[in-house]
């Protein structure tokens, strides 16, 4: 299996090169040249196997330049033992007949980013070996919250890697800050930046592309690498849990072979829902893909009108991981649906020059055929958290609540009563103030840990260990840097 770029379909690379490079030189994203499919027999066999063996089956289809042994080692390192609470990493919960919530937040940082970021470091180091590079990989991440912590946990103490995370000093939640300041591991560094997320992100991009920095790094046998969500090595692990959901539904006798089910995904950068689309291409009988957005509903508008327009206000919401106006992975879907790198280049050029593009008629039709989209307001999101607790004794986070609201709208609009899997992307304890506020019907402020204890006492739902354990942990990383000093901070951290 080879990979091409969404902006140059003549290019051909192996999966290890796609993972090592992260992004293609001309700015496109790597995608497989064809999509492998599972047979009925393979699905039936997987239904009786573990999550890890299911992961190996999916990885083997896509990463054909790796040996089965290498992939098995990577998958075991990622998902075995206590990392995901010693349970199924992605369990289904049926809160009402035919309505299943798939919980993807049992990993070390309590958000679904762990599903991919626990595996990526192992795929990356194996890829680097395959590409015959001996360099230590230095991972630079700018984060607005969830990604940084998940990347730190994924790369911590992975041989051959170092990771540095930059976050805006006042731009993340108290709990997210604590999670990063107390990070353990011998190869990690966390730096607060005076500025906002964009400042941190721009600073990281500058370091990445500075040729003098690159030269100094090479002299010390190091090179930069990315754990960004456009890396193919982050997308392929996400296909696994959709395959697993189908297998678990079969195993539990909830659906019959090949019976279609719908999937609802709370969406930001379009990575998670794209993985569901890819799972469908591989033979998982997914019906409609329902794309749920918050008040920043640029994707709702795109799927419903074919017009992508980022010239609009940006809102901060109680589901911050979906506060996004540029959904990078959408480019992969568009390439898949229209099959033309020329069109992708034109539309992406329009997006960067005018902030807007309009799909052509065939693409609009295909979008409407496979997808359905809507959004939830802040009030609606809070109402769902309240209702789910009151009616189903189920405590959900703000992102999951957005998905549940849009799912209700879908049922009402279409009458489609098929079985449905709603993807749950974070633990409610990661967004405690808003979840507690929704239950008590008034805004909450104060100490995050006190609020988390109150939420736990109120609902009887235990606080996840990774969050409970933070309270007593000493801060390791307290340095704050000006944007102008980020480069120097990198050199100092790397002892150069
Ligand atoms: C990242 C994130 C999302 C959005 O996922 P995408 O793959 O970017 O669409 C949704 N919920 C949570 C909790 C997240 O951390």
């Amino acid at each position: 299996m080879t990979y091409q770029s969404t902006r140059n379909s003549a290019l051909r690379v192996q999966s290890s090169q796609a993972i090592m490079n992260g992004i293609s030189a001309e700015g496109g994203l790597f995608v497989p040249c064809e999509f492998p499919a599972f047979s009925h027999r393979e699905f039936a066999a997987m239904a009786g196997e573990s999550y890890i063996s299911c992961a190996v089956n999916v990885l083997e289809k896509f990463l054909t330049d790796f040996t089965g042994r290498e992939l098995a080692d990577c998958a075991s390192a990622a998902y075995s033992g206590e990392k995901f609470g010693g349970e199924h990493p992605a369990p289904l919960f049926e809160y009402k007949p035919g309505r299943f919530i798939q919980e993807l937040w049992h990993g070390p940082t309590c958000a679904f980013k762990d599903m991919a970021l626990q595996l990526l470091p192992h795929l990356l180091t194996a890829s680097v070996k395959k590409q015959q590079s001996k360099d230590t990989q230095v991972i630079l991440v700018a984060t607005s919250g969830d990604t940084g912590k998940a990347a730190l946990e994924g790369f911590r103490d992975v041989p051959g890697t170092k990771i540095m995370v930059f976050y805006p000093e006042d731009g993340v939640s108290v709990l997210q800050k604590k999670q990063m300041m107390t990070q353990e591991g011998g190869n990690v560094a966390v730096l607060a930046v005076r500025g906002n997320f964009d400042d941190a992100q721009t600073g990281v991009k500058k370091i990445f592309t500075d040729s003098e920095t690159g030269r100094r790094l090479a002299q010390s046998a190091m090179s930069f690498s990315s754990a960004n969500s456009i890396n193919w090595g982050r997308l392929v692990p996400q296909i696994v849990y959709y395959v697993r959901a189908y297998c678990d539904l079969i195993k539990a006798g909830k659906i019959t072979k090949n019976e279609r089910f719908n999937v609802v995904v709370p969406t930001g950068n379009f990575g998670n829902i794209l993985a569901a689309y890819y799972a469908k291409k591989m033979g998982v009988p997914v019906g409609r893909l329902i794309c749920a957005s918050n008040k920043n509903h640029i994707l709702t508008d795109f799927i419903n009108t074919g017009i992508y327009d980022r010239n609009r206000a940006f809102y901060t919401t109680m589901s911050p991981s979906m506060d996004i106006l540029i959904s990078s992975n959408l480019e992969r879907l568009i390439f898949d649906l229209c099959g033309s790198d020329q069109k992708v280049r034109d539309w992406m050029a329009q997006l960067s020059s005018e902030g807007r593009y309009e799909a052509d008629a065939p693409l609009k039709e295909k979008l409407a055929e496979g997808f359905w989209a809507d959004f939830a307001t802040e009030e609606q999101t809070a109402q769902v958290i309240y209702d789910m607790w009151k009616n189903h004794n189920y405590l959900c986070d703000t992102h999951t609540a957005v998905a549940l609201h849009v799912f209700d709208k879908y049922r009402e609009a279409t009458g489609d009563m098929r079985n449905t899997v709603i993807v749950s992307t974070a633990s409610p304890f990661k967004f405690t103030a808003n979840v507690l506020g929704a239950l008590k019907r008034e805004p909450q402020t104060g100490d995050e840990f006190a609020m988390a204890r109150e939420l736990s006492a109120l609902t009887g739902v235990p606080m996840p260990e990774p969050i409970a354990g933070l309270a007593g942990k000493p801060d390791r990383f307290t340095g704050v840097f000006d944007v102008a000093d980020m480069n120097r901070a990198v050199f100092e951290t790397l002892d150069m």
Side-chain angles (χ1 to χ4, degrees):
M1 148 116 33
T2 53
Y3 289 75
Q4 58 190 325
S5 160
T6 50
R7 299 189 198 178
N8 177 7
S9 49
L11 192 82
R12 287 291 179 276
V13 301
Q14 299 272 290
S15 70
S16 52
Q17 194 182 336
I19 291 170
M20 193 171 100
N21 293 3
I23 190 163
S24 186
E26 80 299 322
L29 308 184
F30 291 114
V31 289
C33 292
E34 80 259 24
F35 276 83
F38 286 114
S39 64
H40 291 315
R41 187 197 289 253
E42 285 174 301
F43 280 125
M46 277 191 283
E49 292 168 8
S50 67
Y51 190 89
I52 291 178
S53 89
C54 194
V56 174
N57 279 304
V58 172
L59 295 173
E60 275 180 337
K61 296 263 186 207
F62 286 106
L63 311 185
T64 49
D65 49 332
F66 290 65
T67 65
R69 173 87 230 172
E70 286 170 323
L71 296 175
D73 287 347
C74 288
S76 306
Y79 302 117
S80 60
E82 291 304 303
K83 283 204 166 145
F84 287 82
E87 312 156 24
H88 190 320
L92 289 175
F93 173 76
E94 188 172 20
Y95 71 94
K96 211 172 165 179
R99 303 178 185 205
F100 302 85
I101 291 181
Q102 188 177 32
E103 296 176 346
L104 301 178
W105 40 263
H106 292 280
T109 76
C110 304
F112 96 100
K113 305 277 191 299
D114 289 328
M115 300 303 297
L117 278 164
Q118 282 296 311
L119 183 53
L120 173 72
H122 304 289
L123 295 178
L124 177 66
T125 48
S127 296
V128 169
K129 254 187 226 146
K130 244 172 239 307
Q131 294 291 319
Q132 311 204 319
S133 163
K134 292 202 166 48
D135 284 0
T136 296
Q137 300 296 305
V138 180
I139 317 294
L140 297 185
V141 181
T143 184
S144 59
D146 285 342
T147 304
K149 177 62 182 177
L152 285 162
E153 277 298 320
F155 280 94
R156 108 186 212 195
D157 294 326
V158 171
T161 72
K162 290 178 192 287
I163 174 161
M164 299 180 67
V165 169
F166 297 89
Y167 70 90
E169 185 187 9
D170 300 315
V172 301
S173 80
V174 176
L175 198 132
Q176 287 171 324
K177 200 171 194 170
K178 185 78 182 164
Q179 274 189 317
M180 291 192 276
M181 284 169 78
T182 58
Q183 179 64 42
E184 291 167 11
N187 63 338
V188 305
V190 177
L191 303 96
V193 174
R194 286 186 195 95
N196 61 24
F197 170 66
D198 284 330
D199 297 328
Q201 169 123 302
T202 309
V204 163
K205 277 194 188 144
K206 235 176 165 165
I207 299 171
F208 254 118
T209 48
D210 183 62
S211 55
E212 171 60 17
T213 305
R215 201 183 50 77
R216 274 176 73 177
L217 217 62
Q219 280 172 354
S220 312
M222 292 190 264
S223 46
F224 285 133
S225 195
S226 160
N228 202 281
S229 76
I230 49 176
N231 193 314
W232 176 250
R234 266 190 71 175
L235 211 40
V236 69
Q238 297 188 251
I239 299 172
V240 177
Y241 47 78
Y242 292 108
V243 172
R244 192 64 243 171
Y246 175 45
C247 292
D248 286 346
L249 289 172
I250 292 181
K251 192 174 159 189
K254 298 292 181 185
I255 58 175
T256 54
K257 188 177 88 180
N258 246 352
E259 181 183 337
R260 287 191 184 278
F261 62 97
N262 297 327
V263 173
V264 190
V265 186
T267 297
N269 218 1
F270 211 78
N272 203 356
I273 194 167
L274 181 72
Y277 172 79
Y278 285 161
K280 183 176 181 176
K281 284 178 76 97
M282 296 181 78
V284 176
V286 174
R288 267 297 178 71
L289 287 156
I290 299 161
C291 176
S293 301
N294 65 23
K295 198 175 173 189
N296 296 292
H297 47 80
I298 191 164
L299 287 167
T300 308
D301 298 344
F302 178 64
I303 289 170
N304 291 333
T305 67
I307 297 171
Y308 196 97
D309 189 352
R310 60 163 301 204
N311 305 306
R312 60 175 73 207
F314 173 86
Y315 301 102
T316 33
T317 72
M318 66 172 91
S319 45
S321 302
M322 296 157 67
D323 292 343
I324 272 182
L325 290 184
I326 301 233
S327 291
S328 333
N329 271 302
L330 187 62
E331 179 169 340
R332 284 188 164 110
L333 177 73
I334 291 170
F335 179 76
D336 198 82
L337 292 178
C338 78
S340 156
D341 56 351
Q342 180 63 52
K343 283 184 184 171
V344 171
R345 278 199 302 275
D346 290 348
W347 286 327
M348 292 306 130
Q350 277 177 40
L351 181 62
S352 77
S353 64
E354 296 153 41
R356 181 187 192 279
Y357 64 92
E358 180 164 4
D360 57 14
L363 178 56
K364 282 182 190 173
E365 204 171 296
K366 283 186 178 155
L367 282 169
E369 210 174 272
F371 291 82
W372 196 88
D374 213 324
F375 67 95
T377 64
E378 293 290 89
E379 295 71 29
Q380 289 165 334
T381 307
Q383 184 66 41
V384 170
I385 294 170
Y386 180 87
D387 290 343
M388 281 298 285
W389 178 251
K390 191 157 171 268
N391 302 332
H392 303 290
N393 244 10
Y394 187 84
L395 191 62
C396 71
D397 95 296
T398 47
H399 304 76
T400 310
V402 167
L404 286 161
H405 176 79
V406 170
F407 172 49
D408 280 343
K409 274 190 175 165
Y410 174 76
R411 280 245 163 130
E412 209 171 285
T414 63
D416 179 354
M417 297 304 278
R418 272 200 282 248
N419 287 300
T420 301
V421 171
I422 299 113
V423 168
S424 175
T425 49
S427 157
F429 286 91
K430 234 185 153 167
F431 301 94
T432 302
N434 286 310
V435 172
L436 186 63
L439 293 188
K440 293 174 73 175
R441 307 202 141 198
E442 58 184 353
Q444 303 291 307
T445 51
D447 177 69
E448 291 265 340
F449 291 105
M451 284 190 280
R453 282 192 297 274
E454 186 182 348
L455 182 61
S456 183
L458 190 68
T459 58
V461 178
M463 217 188 292
E465 209 291 310
I467 290 175
L470 275 181
K473 268 196 187 165
D475 292 338
R476 278 186 75 197
F477 300 102
T478 50
V480 184
F481 295 80
D482 285 327
V483 175
D485 291 332
M486 283 171 65
N487 214 0
R488 186 176 53 78
V490 170
F491 288 137
E492 274 171 19
T493 307
L494 297 175
D495 268 335
M496 286 168 49

